[in-house]
């Protein structure tokens, strides 16, 4: 099954269970002061759960573009180093707003995974909330009993509050959740260590694929819990991980979500991707193909790279990709923008925004690349001078202020300075660097009265959603508001 078929099957399945299919919300949020990016499927439905708005339908399903690079969910440091955390990923989800609850949610998930997708029950584990005495919360016996109808009891594991109790924030809707994990190891490996011992242990072949959240409670401002009058279901399944399971790969990067992008990077760079975990070139390729998706979709949704807020986060992701490619793939010329057309061919049918904004996205990335590559060249020669100076003085530490100046004035990444220093057996005076950073923050606080525009007016006209399977009309709702 191709990734496009896998996505379609998910939506068709929930449509057949009377869910209304809606498009993904933009990856960048404009109206939510608490969050810069959509980081889960439920983000766009927050108001329904809080009771501020009425849902259009009590049952909804979709795939949501998510970005986990800031705030509570920040997976950036894992990206490229592991094989199943991305900056941008799709979260497939189904929701019940006061409609069905645990029994049906569990039955739907099981039917989809084992009957529609054909995953083997003997490779699956589920977790349920074990309870928490300090909060007077009981073990989720309902979920346990519903799971028991489908899966053998030794595959139902207890999970703690951290993994199995979901909260929107300090107050608001919350409740126990039940996760589904898949064990993709070989039989020989399974014989050595039982899969249940590896659930939630960061094992690359025993991974969480789906999280079913049962919103049962409301946490009040005083911290106490009250039962919600209407109970909701909020689920999220990692699309790329599901593709790994269904395509029987051992890494998300080996699925057809990423292989066309990797092939293009191989073609341009002349470096072969070998899928090794510790090889810097392989890490760099994973970083590049991951980050290009995040940056392209953010720009297609109207968020230009910039020097502040969400735009700055996007600029940093792009620069991270450029730095990795520069250092480990020897890419001294702009090339990332060439990946946008690959992305368009692959995902444009389902996400027409990337199709329509291809030119804008390509041009913005090209410009950013060229500007940053100039910065790198310039910074490298300055850093060389600083390094030589330090060595000639028989010192072992680069002055924090100088590394900061490179970063602040030239935009040269401090991480790059650290890596280069290390290669010469030098270190960076981190305390000095931090001190300069603090001074800079104080200065910018003073000048923050200045207005900066972060949004770009997109080329298209707003359109309404017509259904995910109708190819004639795009399914995307345009946003073209400028915010200050
Ligand atoms: P993990 O424990 O693997 O970090 P999570 O518990 O943080 O995942 P949830 O918040 O429960 O994830 O999100 C629902 C689903 O989204 C997960 O079960 C997983 O399949 C997927 N997912 C979460 N984070 C990522 C990511 N960074 N990249 C790809 N998929 C992800
Ligand atoms: Mg996580
Ligand atoms: Mg988890
Ligand atoms: Mg989870």
């Amino acid at each position: 099954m191709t990734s496009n078929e896998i996505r379609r099957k998910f939506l068709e399945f929930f449509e057949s269970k009377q869910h209304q299919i809606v498009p993904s919300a933009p990856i960048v949020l404009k109206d939510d002061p608490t969050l810069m990016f959509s980081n889960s499927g439920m983000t766009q439905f927050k108001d329904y759960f809080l009771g501020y708005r009425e849902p259009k339908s009590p049952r909804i399903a979709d795939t949501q573009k998510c970005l986990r690079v800031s705030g509570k969910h920040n997976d950036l440091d894992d990206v490229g180093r592991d094989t199943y955390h991305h900056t941008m990923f799709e979260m497939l989800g189904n929701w019940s707003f006061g409609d069905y609850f645990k029994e049906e949610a569990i039955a739907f998930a099981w039917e989809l995974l084992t009957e529609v997708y054909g995953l083997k029950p003997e490779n699956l584990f589920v977790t349920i909330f074990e309870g928490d005495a300090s909060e007077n919360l009981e073990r989720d016996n309902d979920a346990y009993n519903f799971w028991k109808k489908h899966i053998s009891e030794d595959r139902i594991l207890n999970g703690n509050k951290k993994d199995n109790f979901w909260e929107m924030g300090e107050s608001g809707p919350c409740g126990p959740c039940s996760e589904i994990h898949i064990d993709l190891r070989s039989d020989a490996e399974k014989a050595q260590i039982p899969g249940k011992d590896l659930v939630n242990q960061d094992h690359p072949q025993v991974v969480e694929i789906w999280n079913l959240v049962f919103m049962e409670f409301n946490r009040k401002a005083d911290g106490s819990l009250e039962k919600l009058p209407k109970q909701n279901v909020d689920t999220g399944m990692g699309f790329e991980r599901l593709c790994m399971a269904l395509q029987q790969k051992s890494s998300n990067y080996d699925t057809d979500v990423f292989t066309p992008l990797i092939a293009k990077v191989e073609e341009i760079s002349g470096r072969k991707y070998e899928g090794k975990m510790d090889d810097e070139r392989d890490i760099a390729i994973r970083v590049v193909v991951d980050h290009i998706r995040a940056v392209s979709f953010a720009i297609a949704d109207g968020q230009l790279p910039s020097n502040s807020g969400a735009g700055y986060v996007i600029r940093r992701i792009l620069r991270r990709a450029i730095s990795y490619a520069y250092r480990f793939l020897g890419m001294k010329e702009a090339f990332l923008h060439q990946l946008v057309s690959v992305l368009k061919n692959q995902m444009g049918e389902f996400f027409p925004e990337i199709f329509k904004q291809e030119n804008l996205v390509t041009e913005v990335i090209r410009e950013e690349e060229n500007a940053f590559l100039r910065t790198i060249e310039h910074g490298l020669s300055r850093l060389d001078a600083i390094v030589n100076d330090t060595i000639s003085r028989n010192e072992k530490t680069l002055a924090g202020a100088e590394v900061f100046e490179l970063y602040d004035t030239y935009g040269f990444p401090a991480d790059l300075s650290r890596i280069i220093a290390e290669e010469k057996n030098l270190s960076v005076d981190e305390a000095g660097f931090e001190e300069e950073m603090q001074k800079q923050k104080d200065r910018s606080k003073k000048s923050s009265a200045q207005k900066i525009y972060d949004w770009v007016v997109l080329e298209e006209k707003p359109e309404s959603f017509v259904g995910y399977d109708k190819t004639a009309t795009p399914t995307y709702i345009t946003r073209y508001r400028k915010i200050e």
Side-chain angles (χ1 to χ4, degrees):
M1 237 187 284
T2 66
S3 54
N4 284 329
E5 284 162 2
I6 291 169
R7 186 194 294 109
R8 189 177 295 277
K9 275 220 159 27
F10 178 91
L11 297 169
E12 279 169 2
F13 175 80
F14 281 104
E15 196 172 41
S16 79
K17 308 284 183 197
Q18 291 77 50
H19 287 65
Q20 187 190 5
I21 309 302
V22 304
S24 171
I27 202 163
V28 195
L29 298 168
K30 59 170 179 168
D31 293 332
D32 189 337
T34 64
L35 209 57
M36 276 190 211
F37 304 104
S38 293
N39 64 10
S40 71
M42 68 79 62
T43 314
Q44 67 162 320
F45 305 120
K46 219 162 118 176
D47 283 356
Y48 300 161
F49 294 121
L50 291 168
Y52 297 162
R53 278 194 299 146
E54 274 294 305
K56 281 179 249 146
S57 158
R59 296 180 178 203
I60 285 182
D62 71 0
T63 182
Q64 172 65 47
K65 298 172 279 184
C66 294
L67 197 57
R68 291 197 167 180
V69 291
S70 56
K72 178 180 161 196
H73 289 291
N74 189 345
D75 293 336
L76 190 60
D77 288 342
D78 288 332
V79 175
R81 303 202 168 270
D82 78 15
T83 47
Y84 56 100
H85 279 100
H86 302 294
T87 54
M88 182 209 147
F89 63 100
E90 285 179 58
M91 200 187 278
L92 302 164
N94 59 293
W95 284 270
S96 154
F97 305 105
D99 190 33
Y100 61 83
F101 203 43
K102 294 180 193 180
E103 183 168 16
E104 295 86 337
I106 287 171
F108 287 158
W110 191 255
E111 184 185 341
L112 177 65
L113 291 181
T114 60
E115 288 173 33
V116 177
Y117 288 136
L119 290 176
K120 294 199 183 101
E122 62 266 29
N123 289 337
L124 297 172
F125 289 96
V126 301
T127 64
I128 58 139
F129 179 49
E130 65 188 2
D132 185 274
S134 69
E135 293 241 51
N136 232 347
L137 286 166
E138 284 174 12
R139 177 173 183 260
D140 193 350
N141 290 322
D142 287 346
Y144 187 86
N145 290 326
F146 295 133
W147 275 122
K148 227 169 58 176
K149 293 190 195 168
H150 306 287
I151 190 168
S152 64
E153 288 180 57
D154 59 332
R155 301 194 153 259
I156 311 175
L157 313 172
N158 282 335
N160 60 21
K161 208 170 166 198
K162 179 181 138 285
D163 290 318
N164 285 78
F165 194 84
W166 179 90
E167 310 221 23
M168 186 186 279
E170 275 174 24
S171 58
C174 55
C177 60
S178 189
E179 301 166 334
I180 303 169
H181 297 254
I182 188 153
D183 185 348
L184 297 164
R185 293 173 306 153
S186 66
D187 289 341
E189 287 168 303
K190 283 178 186 162
Q192 279 175 1
I193 307 174
K196 67 178 174 43
D197 293 347
L198 295 173
V199 165
N200 272 330
Q201 300 298 317
D202 291 328
H203 190 288
Q205 258 78 64
V206 185
V207 295
E208 176 186 337
I209 52 172
W210 203 347
N211 190 6
L212 316 180
V213 178
F214 310 122
M215 285 185 206
E216 269 186 83
F217 305 105
N218 179 41
R219 191 179 288 283
K220 296 200 283 189
D222 67 4
S224 63
L225 294 171
E226 64 184 358
K227 200 104 175 159
L228 283 171
K230 275 181 160 186
Q231 300 175 325
N232 309 302
V233 172
D234 153 28
T235 86
M237 172 151 61
F239 172 65
E240 299 76 10
R241 294 184 191 181
L242 176 66
C243 291
M244 159 166 78
L246 296 181
Q247 296 178 358
Q248 295 172 341
K249 305 290 183 192
S250 53
S251 154
N252 288 3
Y253 294 93
D254 295 337
T255 68
D256 71 336
V257 176
F258 289 101
T259 47
L261 290 166
I262 291 176
K264 187 74 181 172
V265 176
E266 287 179 331
E267 179 198 317
I268 302 171
S269 70
R271 312 265 174 174
K272 196 104 196 85
Y273 177 66
E274 292 174 350
K276 292 186 190 147
M277 290 319 296
D278 299 328
D279 184 294
E280 278 165 344
R281 280 180 307 187
D282 285 348
I283 294 173
I285 290 177
R286 287 193 289 272
V287 164
V288 162
V289 297
D290 173 275
H291 289 14
I292 191 67
R293 287 165 30 104
V295 172
S296 300
F297 275 98
I299 299 171
D301 279 351
Q303 180 60 65
L304 290 182
S306 75
N307 269 335
S308 67
Y312 188 53
V313 176
I314 298 305
R315 173 167 281 167
R316 275 189 7 235
I317 297 174
L318 183 52
R319 289 183 167 187
R320 192 165 184 265
I322 300 169
S323 303
Y324 269 84
Y326 184 96
R327 293 213 28 90
F328 303 119
L329 303 174
M331 302 304 290
K332 313 267 169 213
E333 311 256 318
F335 78 104
L336 283 158
H337 61 278
Q338 292 181 49
L339 300 174
V340 177
S341 69
V342 181
L343 207 52
K344 178 203 76 177
N345 290 340
Q346 214 183 330
M347 297 179 79
E349 185 199 325
F350 196 82
F351 296 101
E353 62 273 26
I354 199 78
F355 199 86
K356 288 188 150 195
Q357 307 296 337
E358 184 189 2
N359 291 343
L360 174 81
V361 174
T362 307
E363 282 317 308
V364 169
I365 293 178
R366 193 209 305 266
E367 288 280 311
E368 283 282 314
E369 280 190 276
N370 283 330
F372 188 55
L373 286 166
R374 282 196 296 273
T375 298
I376 291 186
E377 294 293 349
H378 199 107
L380 277 179
S381 58
R382 280 193 61 94
L383 185 60
D384 254 358
I386 298 170
V387 164
N388 289 339
D389 227 39
T390 310
I391 293 174
S392 70
R393 286 199 305 268
N394 266 335
E395 288 172 14
K396 287 264 158 216
T397 318
L398 298 186
E402 292 194 81
V403 175
F404 183 78
E405 193 204 358
L406 267 176
Y407 161 77
D408 189 42
T409 316
Y410 301 97
F412 192 75
D415 275 350
L416 210 48
S417 296
R418 289 187 187 103
I419 294 170
I420 291 167
E422 250 172 53
E423 280 171 2
K424 308 266 178 189
N425 285 325
L426 302 172
S427 60
V428 172
D429 165 23
E430 297 292 346
F433 182 85
E434 270 313 308
E435 197 180 307
E436 295 299 317
M437 179 71 95
Q438 195 50 49
K439 283 190 212 156
Q440 213 278 355
K441 279 183 186 155
D442 295 343
R443 281 195 299 274
S444 73
K445 247 187 225 156
K446 279 187 198 141
S447 63
S448 64
Q450 202 187 355
K451 283 184 182 169
I452 300 165
Y453 287 100
D454 267 356
W455 289 84
V456 60
V457 181
L458 301 180
E459 295 148 6
E460 50 181 327
K461 294 269 181 314
E463 279 163 278
S464 56
F465 178 66
V466 292
Y468 67 92
D469 58 351
K470 304 208 174 60
T471 43
T473 321
T475 57
Y476 189 63
I477 300 162
T478 315
R479 289 149 23 90
Y480 48 94
R481 216 178 73 163
K482 271 189 169 178
I483 54 166
E484 287 168 25

